Amino acid sequence: MTELEKGPTGSRRGRGARERIISASQQLFREQGINRTGMNELCAAAEVSKRTAYQHFTGKDELVAEYLRRFDPSVLSGVFDRTDLTPRERLLAAFDISPDTPLCPYIAAAVELHDPQHPASQYARDYKKAVAARLADTAREAGAADPEQLGEQLALLIDGAAARTRVLDADAFPTAAAIAAVLIDNALPATAGHNRRREGVSS
Amino acid sequence: MTELEKGPTGSRRGRGARERIISASQQLFREQGINRTGMNELCAAAEVSKRTAYQHFTGKDELVAEYLRRFDPSVLSGVFDRTDLTPRERLLAAFDISPDTPLCPYIAAAVELHDPQHPASQYARDYKKAVAARLADTAREAGAADPEQLGEQLALLIDGAAARTRVLDADAFPTAAAIAAVLIDNALPATAGHNRRREGVSS
DNA sequence: CGTTAAGCACACCAGGCGGTGTACTTAACT
DNA sequence: AGTTAAGTACACCGCCTGGTGTGCTTAACG
């Protein structure tokens, strides 16, 4: 029928045009930005006919939203589910996204789309809240006095590092990690379970 | 001659079209974003003929750069030059931009233009560095152990609050201020000269 | 006064944008 | 083999974009 929910695999019949489109969007939207990437260009890169693209997505807006939804590639779960680390180490590991990451696409989308009502903007909000929540969970696990506050604070540090990295074109995550270490040490009761040799936590 | 450097007042002869253009750009670029504001629309809002606009600015890019340059409206100097506050209080006052401020236009421009070589992007970088430098100066004045580091940290907090406010559509500056208070207290020797009784720093 | 330049009105451009219509091919499943 | 749907090719749409060309009016200044 018209709607058959062909499933995330997309490999029911054709040659998987949908996946190619999304894959191309991941590349182009990140490299060039959303507004600077036209549908013509995107379809060409995906080696997909324009008509096909508009049979999978009602419009660019929907594609953009899907582009954001298909992101998280373990960036979130890949950090928080590491059982080899203590909760405290996991909190700090969230700042090790150092390698090359261009910029948090959620911030970029919110700025580029400029419309809080846009589906993608709404998803960006949800995602940011989810990250803060997981940070809070981990903070609670680590025994923080006020886990929600610490989670929100660490989330702000991550966003600050992302924004600053973008504007200054220089990695700001080490600075954010240093702040995080201070905040964590301040929020956690001084249990001797982990050797905390941070400097200068005077107060 | 063709170039006569008519001066910033612009009131040499005409009715000050240039100022009206810049004024309109301040409004529209902030409200709608740079990419979503066309030159037609902008000229209409400024009540300026399109032709006149292109006689003042060689292109939209130049106007965007000028738009950023004409910003600072004491946001920077208005905070750091307050002699009624102690250096420590001045550092914290930088987080009181709470009222309504839509979002730091420098971050927005860097994201929207998406080109680090764009004049406006370069200026945004310079401005961010300048803010960090002034924060560092004030930190030094306050007697911080490592003023450069504290300045960079506080700058990151401001950018984080700005970005997060934009994405979440909720004021994130109080959280940033709370972190700032912790960092400042940690960085400053515990001199009794100023009563450090800031509220909301629950940790 | 006349010169000079700031500003204006408006038609116009090429090109990109998001998005469609139509007629076609291909291939999986029955 | 026949059905069915996924995918294709490509011309085409109206609209808006940044940007011009041309000829005109207005007003400050010497």
Side-chain angles (χ1 to χ4, degrees):
Chain A
M1 302 311 172
T2 52
E3 44 191 356
L4 53 84
E5 212 65 25
K6 68 180 182 11
T9 63
S11 60
R12 196 189 126 184
R13 279 243 189 132
R15 261 115 87 236
R18 188 185 181 94
E19 290 307 312
R20 257 178 294 144
I21 295 169
I22 293 175
S23 168
S25 77
Q26 298 287 350
Q27 194 188 333
L28 294 180
F29 286 163
R30 296 208 75 167
E31 286 177 2
Q32 313 181 337
I34 295 169
N35 290 331
R36 296 185 122 71
T37 301
M39 289 300 282
N40 276 333
E41 183 186 6
L42 198 151
C43 291
E47 288 182 302
V48 155
S49 128
K50 210 173 166 188
R51 209 69 192 79
T52 300
Y54 279 96
Q55 267 150 9
H56 281 286
F57 304 95
T58 66
K60 192 184 183 182
D61 286 352
E62 192 179 303
L63 174 57
V64 171
E66 187 66 17
Y67 147 74
L68 275 197
R69 264 179 241 120
R70 291 289 194 98
F71 212 88
D72 198 26
S74 73
V75 167
L76 193 141
S77 49
V79 171
F80 292 105
D81 294 344
R82 293 184 58 180
T83 52
D84 58 321
L85 299 179
T86 68
R88 186 178 173 282
E89 287 169 332
R90 254 176 283 151
L91 289 177
L92 281 170
F95 294 86
D96 277 347
I97 351 175
S98 38
D100 50 338
T101 30
L103 167 67
C104 164
Y106 306 95
I107 298 178
V111 173
E112 282 206 81
L113 302 175
H114 217 270
D115 173 16
Q117 303 308 315
H118 192 292
S121 300
Q122 295 180 355
Y123 181 77
R125 233 173 300 154
D126 293 343
Y127 182 85
K128 286 295 175 191
K129 285 179 186 165
V131 170
R134 294 214 60 168
L135 285 167
D137 289 345
T138 310
R140 186 174 299 108
E141 204 181 333
D146 187 341
E148 262 72 29
Q149 177 180 275
L150 184 56
E152 182 65 24
Q153 289 178 339
L154 295 181
L156 187 145
L157 290 179
I158 293 175
D159 287 343
R164 205 155 173 78
T165 297
R166 173 80 153 231
V167 176
L168 291 185
D169 217 358
D171 190 5
F173 278 92
T175 298
I179 304 176
V182 172
L183 292 180
I184 293 171
D185 280 346
N186 269 7
L188 262 52
T191 56
H194 41 66
N195 54 341
R196 43 206 293 273
R197 288 288 301 274
R198 292 280 146 194
E199 70 291 350
V201 188
S202 62
S203 74
Chain B
M1 299 309 173
T2 50
E3 44 191 356
L4 52 85
E5 211 65 25
K6 68 180 180 18
T9 64
S11 60
R12 196 188 124 185
R13 278 235 187 141
R15 259 119 85 238
R18 188 186 181 94
E19 291 306 313
R20 257 178 294 144
I21 296 170
I22 293 176
S23 168
S25 76
Q26 299 287 349
Q27 194 188 334
L28 294 179
F29 285 162
R30 295 208 75 167
E31 286 177 3
Q32 313 180 335
I34 295 170
N35 289 332
R36 296 186 122 71
T37 301
M39 289 300 282
N40 276 334
E41 184 185 6
L42 198 151
C43 290
E47 289 181 305
V48 155
S49 132
K50 211 173 165 190
R51 209 68 192 80
T52 300
Y54 279 96
Q55 266 150 11
H56 281 286
F57 304 94
T58 65
K60 192 183 184 182
D61 286 351
E62 192 179 304
L63 173 57
V64 171
E66 187 65 18
Y67 147 73
L68 274 198
R69 264 179 239 120
R70 291 287 194 100
F71 211 89
D72 198 28
S74 72
V75 168
L76 192 142
S77 51
V79 170
F80 293 105
D81 294 345
R82 293 184 58 179
T83 52
D84 58 320
L85 299 178
T86 67
R88 186 178 173 283
E89 287 169 332
R90 255 176 281 151
L91 288 177
L92 281 169
F95 293 86
D96 277 346
I97 352 177
S98 38
D100 50 336
T101 30
L103 166 68
C104 165
Y106 306 95
I107 297 178
V111 172
E112 282 207 81
L113 302 176
H114 216 273
D115 172 16
Q117 303 308 314
H118 192 293
S121 301
Q122 294 180 356
Y123 181 76
R125 233 173 301 154
D126 293 344
Y127 182 86
K128 286 296 175 190
K129 286 179 186 166
V131 170
R134 294 214 61 168
L135 284 167
D137 289 346
T138 310
R140 186 175 299 108
E141 202 181 335
D146 188 341
E148 262 73 29
Q149 176 181 276
L150 184 55
E152 182 64 25
Q153 289 179 339
L154 295 180
L156 187 144
L157 290 179
I158 292 175
D159 287 343
R164 206 157 172 78
T165 297
R166 173 80 153 231
V167 176
L168 291 184
D169 218 357
D171 190 5
F173 278 92
T175 298
I179 303 176
V182 173
L183 292 181
I184 293 171
D185 281 346
N186 270 5
L188 262 53
T191 56
H194 43 64
N195 55 342
R196 40 214 290 273
R197 288 284 301 273
R198 287 280 147 193
E199 71 290 350
V201 189
S202 63
S203 73

